[in-house]
Amino acid sequence: MYKHLVKDLSVKKGFITLLTGIFLTFTFGGCNNALNADFSTNVDSEKPNYVVIKNTSQGSIDSAIWQVRGQKITNKATFKAYFPFAGQHKIRLIVINNSDKDTLIRHINITQDDPEYVTQLEPVWEENFNGSQLDTSAWSFDTGDHGWGNQELQNYTNGDNATLRNGKLVIDIRKVDNKKQPGSYTSSRIHTNGKKQFQYGRIEAKAKLPAGKGIWAAIWMLGSNIDSVGWPACGEMDIMEYVGFEPNTVHSTVHVPAGYAGNGDGSKIELESCEEDFHTYGMLWTPSKLIFYVDSLENVVHTYAPSPKNIENWPLNQPAFLILNVAVGGTWGGLKGVDNSIFPQTMEIDHVKVFQAPIF
């Protein structure tokens, strides 16, 4: 279609040459380059947790961005994506040409959980605490002596009680005075909030625990939306808790709106060497259940799998961040009082590892 009057045109070898006149807008029939995002999906009949995805978009495309299982994939024309869990899954394709963009979203249904899911997991993050200083691109310090909602007595310091020694993170728990009041002890609480968050997979920490009445050590996770929804609506997953008045016993507990604090859903296991030796404390997290374990998945501490699921009993379908800390006293750790003769104490963490299912 002509947009302005052109006084003199000549056509040579299929091209239009503008000789005189003003601006020309011209569209060749059958050569419309408008973007039209499109793709096909085909479930593998032999491996029903794998889907072949093919970009069938029309028009001139500079780049293509896929969003699959919360991850971004760029400029793949065809690929086979892995969906380990049953349910409806969203696939988004964005095609771009200069400033033009078109987006298409489709959903696919996966009919079963992959029975080989655990064997498919791959390491996605590992912290071995090498070097001389904590990696602040992954970890931050919580600080203060305000009780932390549990009437705890420690003051969490900004790094004074957390050092890297011989390839381990060492949290030192020290006594300041004998008053047994807030600030009478110092310790450390580090977390990955805003820096590292994870959803589903295996989360493990290898640690040696502190000892003595009044100690409350923990390896745990909180939902990353805690700032917007609060606790316990964000969900809390306590991979390991250890209170010194109950020696050689480790706990795993889940806190959600349907049950929290003293009504949390949890179990415990005897572990006689937890104060003397390093053990791996882990959690397998899927959309349907949590399995807490010590050293291997065969040594289960607790399983949490409410059914049917709702926002009250399963707000655990979102990313969460990791926390490592040792408290002193508090509503649980101080249930039998605090023995000032036990200090100083240490919790040593050899490593933290996260394993998740690959995209391909």
Side-chain angles (χ1 to χ4, degrees):
M1 180 178 114
Y2 291 93
K3 192 170 183 179
H4 295 283
L5 177 64
V6 178
K7 294 181 180 178
D8 187 9
L9 293 177
S10 65
V11 179
K12 296 180 180 180
K13 297 181 180 179
F15 294 92
I16 297 178
T17 304
L18 181 61
L19 301 178
T20 60
I22 315 176
F23 178 75
L24 173 70
T25 300
F26 195 94
T27 302
F28 290 98
C31 296
N32 190 344
N33 285 323
L35 287 178
N36 182 20
D38 198 7
F39 61 90
S40 63
T41 59
N42 291 287
V43 177
D44 189 318
S45 59
E46 296 184 358
K47 296 181 177 180
N49 294 96
Y50 288 86
V51 178
V52 177
I53 303 173
K54 183 178 181 180
N55 189 347
T56 58
S57 301
Q58 300 296 313
S60 179
I61 299 171
D62 292 334
S63 62
I65 301 171
W66 301 91
Q67 293 176 353
V68 179
R69 283 181 39 212
Q71 296 191 40
K72 183 184 293 185
I73 303 165
T74 58
N75 297 329
K76 277 189 174 291
T78 303
F79 60 98
K80 183 180 285 189
Y82 176 49
F83 296 88
F85 307 118
Q88 189 177 80
H89 301 270
K90 181 171 69 175
I91 302 173
R92 183 195 303 267
L93 172 62
I94 305 169
V95 291
I96 302 169
N97 181 6
N98 294 322
S99 60
D100 295 331
K101 180 169 64 174
D102 193 32
T103 300
L104 177 65
I105 296 173
R106 285 206 170 104
H107 293 84
I108 60 166
N109 288 311
I110 300 298
T111 59
Q112 66 176 40
D113 290 348
D114 182 6
E116 303 297 323
Y117 166 68
V118 173
T119 64
Q120 303 295 320
L121 298 178
E122 298 177 349
V124 295
W125 183 59
E126 185 171 342
E127 173 64 88
N128 290 298
F129 301 110
N130 294 320
S132 58
Q133 292 184 329
L134 193 66
D135 179 7
T136 55
S137 69
W139 301 97
S140 300
F141 290 97
D142 280 327
T143 60
D145 62 356
H146 50 74
W148 298 92
N150 296 304
Q151 302 173 33
E152 299 164 20
L153 304 178
Q154 78 288 338
N155 176 35
Y156 286 132
T157 64
N158 190 22
D160 292 342
N161 293 69
T163 57
L164 302 189
R165 304 201 290 263
N166 301 317
K168 297 176 179 61
L169 169 66
V170 181
I171 295 178
D172 292 295
I173 311 100
R174 307 185 185 109
K175 182 183 67 172
V176 175
D177 57 44
N178 290 310
K179 297 178 181 179
K180 299 184 180 181
Q181 64 185 21
S184 290
Y185 313 90
T186 59
S187 185
S188 190
R189 169 166 154 157
I190 67 171
H191 63 83
T192 66
N193 190 18
K195 297 179 177 179
K196 296 286 183 181
Q197 62 178 11
F198 308 98
Q199 184 177 358
Y200 308 138
R202 285 174 65 175
I203 298 92
E204 298 183 341
K206 187 176 182 179
K208 183 169 68 173
L209 306 182
K213 190 169 64 175
I215 288 295
W216 186 356
I219 300 166
W220 51 305
M221 300 187 77
L222 283 172
S224 297
N225 62 346
I226 186 170
D227 290 338
S228 59
V229 304
W231 182 92
C234 66
E236 176 180 328
M237 299 169 282
D238 296 328
I239 298 172
M240 186 286 304
E241 287 186 284
Y242 188 67
V243 287
F245 70 81
E246 193 176 11
N248 305 322
T249 304
V250 295
H251 298 254
S252 297
T253 310
V254 178
H255 300 273
V256 293
Y260 55 91
N263 294 317
D265 192 297
S267 303
K268 59 186 179 181
I269 191 172
E270 296 297 315
L271 190 62
E272 292 186 359
S273 59
C274 62
E275 296 175 0
E276 295 79 25
D277 298 323
F278 284 89
H279 289 277
T280 298
Y281 302 96
M283 177 181 72
L284 176 66
W285 179 11
T286 78
S288 61
K289 61 186 174 183
L290 297 171
I291 299 176
F292 301 90
Y293 58 91
V294 174
D295 292 328
S296 74
L297 272 168
E298 287 69 42
N299 192 24
V300 174
V301 180
H302 182 60
T303 299
Y304 180 69
S307 181
K309 289 178 170 53
N310 54 56
I311 193 63
E312 296 294 308
N313 63 25
W314 191 261
L316 308 174
N317 55 350
Q318 55 164 337
F321 61 92
L322 185 68
I323 308 169
L324 309 172
N325 75 286
V326 183
V328 179
T331 51
W332 190 23
L335 195 61
K336 303 293 184 179
V338 179
D339 180 1
N340 275 344
S341 69
I342 66 172
F343 298 99
Q345 285 292 318
T346 61
M347 178 164 80
E348 299 181 52
I349 300 96
D350 182 72
H351 63 246
V352 175
K353 295 181 180 181
V354 178
F355 305 83
Q356 292 183 320
I359 289 291
F360 307 112

